[in-house]
Amino acid sequence: MILTEVLFKDISANKYYVGLSGGVDSVVLLHLCKTYLPNVAAIHINHGLSPNAQAWASFCRDLCSDWGVPYEEIALPQAPEKGVSVEAWAREQRYAAFAPLIKQKDCLLTAHHQEDQVETFFLQLLRGSGPKGLAAMPSTQPYSGGCHARPLLTISQATIDAYAKEQGLAWVEDESNQELSFDRNYLRQQVLPKLYERWPSLPVTVSRSSELCAQAMVLIDDYVTKDLTICRYSEPERLDLKRLQRFSPEKINAIIRHWLEVIDYPSPSQAQLQQITTHLITASEDANPEVSYEGIVFRRYQEFLYVMEILPTLDVAIEIPWSATRNLILPHGLGVLQAEPGGCEGLCIPEDVRVTVRLRRGGERCQPLGRSGSHPLKKLMQEWNIPPWHRDRIPLIFFDEELAAVVGYTVCEPFHQGDNPLHIFLG
């Protein structure tokens, strides 16, 4: 029997959403939840990868109707690109689809069980993972606005199957579970049965190892958090290299991994981490190297290490008319240009002048407020310590063909003189 008081004792939420695939594991979980928990709903993700996908969705819809469980179906609009792992793609898409539904104090419940934990452990082991990877799947973790719980994680597949038969439950079979080209299926069908035969207690011992790795990661994170605090400034996506370089190579690696976890960026592989330390942390001061993976890029500027999402390509030829009486949404995610009454250093717009917003093209000059003479904008940006990758993304305000302001940095002489000065800023 499945002990429900053990399954749900650490789970408390306003609303419970069960990830319902239609397979035996998720059907059993939904049956338990609708019996023992309040405010339960089901979510079915239709990946569209199987010719039976619509039949599975219909089964889930009918099952929830019969059980009186609120049901929501989400059909994924795209398919994985060629060469992308179907398993990884499906997992990422599922959790991305679940996330908007899980509000504060809600809980997503998925039907991962003991053998799933064993498979995850071995998959991480074969990928060369450290303690974090070998900790495998936690029983509960923060997710979206609420939490994600796996109440069946200590329950065996045999126990789940026995419960389904005892309760007379129906379910669907996913034919892709027999596809040996998927790593998890290969482990499940070709490797683990032999290990279970030799070591029947393997699921229990692997679970114990995963738990020990998870405990070790708690200690490591606590230890590294103090050092990360030393290296960080007010900008969460920047580290002080001089302070970082005081630590041992092993500590530097741990700090970077923890830093990325804290700001919710993907963790690097060992090879990618080696590139970061070799090409960025130990690079010469005048170098501007980059290391990128999975949509993020690491850059070095002066004595700081930066990480950010890869920026979209800019159209430097843009030229947008602006009246300054309304907010202006800039392209390329550059922000919203706004104006409000300002002080003595505000921008004054003369009558009968054409105001446009542009990006740096090269050759611009400006006489910053309070300085004598005109200076190349390129040199000014170097003085202002603006990172090179950001310089072309700063909106410039032109009066006719003359640079009048560098938004966020200066108003050019003599355009602060006149009536009704405006403070120009990005919102």
Side-chain angles (χ1 to χ4, degrees):
M1 281 293 296
I2 296 177
L3 301 177
T4 53
E5 66 271 19
V6 174
L7 295 183
F8 302 124
K9 68 181 180 68
D10 295 324
I11 303 171
S12 177
N14 288 341
K15 189 169 184 178
Y16 300 89
Y17 290 91
V18 176
L20 179 65
S21 68
V24 62
D25 306 329
S26 65
V27 168
V28 164
L29 178 59
L30 182 60
H31 188 267
L32 290 165
C33 289
K34 67 102 175 175
T35 304
Y36 296 101
L37 293 177
N39 300 322
V40 173
I43 309 172
H44 175 74
I45 306 296
N46 187 341
H47 298 87
L49 298 176
S50 168
N52 298 313
Q54 292 304 324
W56 298 342
S58 296
F59 169 83
C60 293
R61 190 183 310 113
D62 293 343
L63 180 70
C64 290
S65 177
D66 291 343
W67 286 355
V69 174
Y71 171 81
E72 181 150 355
E73 181 181 331
I74 302 174
L76 299 183
Q78 72 274 32
E81 297 179 1
K82 187 176 181 180
V84 171
S85 165
V86 175
E87 290 174 287
W89 175 87
R91 181 175 60 253
E92 291 172 5
Q93 293 297 315
R94 273 197 303 278
Y95 287 115
F98 285 140
L101 298 174
I102 310 304
K103 309 301 182 185
Q104 188 174 11
K105 296 185 179 179
D106 290 345
C107 186
L108 171 67
L109 302 172
T110 56
H112 298 100
H113 52 72
Q114 195 171 60
E115 280 85 351
D116 290 327
Q117 184 77 312
V118 173
E119 292 159 12
T120 299
F121 178 90
F122 277 96
L123 286 170
Q124 294 290 354
L125 181 66
L126 292 168
R127 292 167 185 156
S129 297
K132 184 175 179 61
L134 296 179
M137 296 181 289
S139 58
T140 60
Q141 64 189 120
Y143 175 71
S144 188
C147 72
H148 175 200
R150 301 175 175 92
L152 302 181
L153 203 55
T154 60
I155 306 300
S156 70
Q157 181 73 72
T159 301
I160 292 170
D161 292 343
Y163 179 92
K165 292 176 182 177
E166 176 186 299
Q167 298 294 326
L169 304 181
W171 61 88
V172 297
E173 297 287 353
D174 184 348
E175 74 279 355
S176 70
N177 288 335
Q178 306 304 315
E179 179 53 66
L180 294 182
S181 62
F182 295 147
D183 291 342
R184 186 175 290 274
N185 290 346
Y186 185 84
L187 266 176
R188 182 181 302 155
Q189 297 180 41
Q190 301 293 316
V191 177
L192 291 176
K194 297 181 183 300
L195 296 180
Y196 293 145
E197 183 179 349
R198 175 80 179 195
W199 294 282
S201 62
L202 182 69
V204 175
T205 56
V206 166
S207 294
R208 185 185 310 136
S209 293
S210 293
E211 179 61 28
L212 291 172
C213 287
Q215 292 175 12
M217 281 307 305
V218 171
L219 296 176
I220 291 171
D221 286 347
D222 183 61
Y223 177 55
V224 174
T225 294
K226 299 172 185 177
D227 298 319
L228 175 60
T229 302
I230 292 172
C231 298
R232 292 178 78 184
Y233 278 78
S234 57
E235 297 178 47
E237 298 179 344
R238 184 176 76 164
L239 295 184
D240 185 312
L241 281 173
K242 283 188 175 179
R243 297 183 180 185
L244 187 64
Q245 289 166 347
R246 297 175 188 172
F247 297 107
S248 67
E250 295 78 12
K251 178 68 75 65
I252 289 173
N253 289 348
I255 290 172
I256 291 175
R257 288 190 185 279
H258 188 57
W259 174 42
L260 296 174
E261 182 178 358
V262 167
I263 59 178
D264 199 26
Y265 277 169
S267 181
S269 66
Q270 192 63 33
Q272 290 162 343
L273 191 58
Q274 182 64 43
Q275 282 187 305
I276 293 167
T277 55
T278 301
H279 300 307
L280 292 166
I281 295 177
T282 59
S284 60
E285 291 188 15
D286 59 349
N288 292 306
E290 296 182 4
V291 173
S292 61
Y293 66 86
E294 294 187 40
I296 63 172
V297 60
F298 294 80
R299 293 185 171 103
R300 173 175 178 156
Y301 177 61
Q302 295 181 345
E303 290 301 322
F304 293 95
L305 176 66
Y306 296 80
V307 63
M308 64 201 73
E309 294 181 1
I310 294 176
L311 301 171
T313 303
L314 293 172
D315 176 10
V316 297
I318 63 171
E319 186 170 327
I320 307 171
W322 188 42
S323 68
T325 60
R326 57 182 175 80
N327 294 345
L328 178 64
I329 300 175
L330 299 173
H332 310 304
L334 297 177
V336 180
L337 195 61
Q338 303 179 48
E340 61 183 23
C344 61
E345 296 184 358
L347 177 67
C348 297
I349 303 178
E351 294 183 4
D352 301 324
V353 69
R354 181 171 177 264
V355 182
T356 58
V357 181
R358 309 180 193 178
L359 298 177
R360 190 166 72 106
R361 302 173 186 175
E364 297 87 358
R365 299 183 69 86
C366 171
Q367 181 182 347
L369 193 62
R371 291 180 59 171
S372 61
S374 175
H375 302 267
L377 182 58
K378 178 180 179 180
K379 295 293 185 183
L380 290 172
M381 288 185 165
Q382 291 173 350
E383 288 181 24
W384 296 331
N385 294 319
I386 301 174
W389 58 87
H390 187 57
R391 295 171 189 170
D392 292 339
R393 309 184 70 82
I394 297 172
L396 309 177
I397 298 177
F398 279 78
F399 292 169
D400 294 328
E401 296 303 316
E402 192 168 0
L403 179 60
V406 182
V407 177
Y409 291 91
T410 191
V411 171
C412 303
E413 294 279 9
F415 300 114
H416 72 290
Q417 300 173 2
D419 298 329
N420 304 316
L422 296 174
H423 171 53
I424 310 296
F425 62 99
L426 281 176

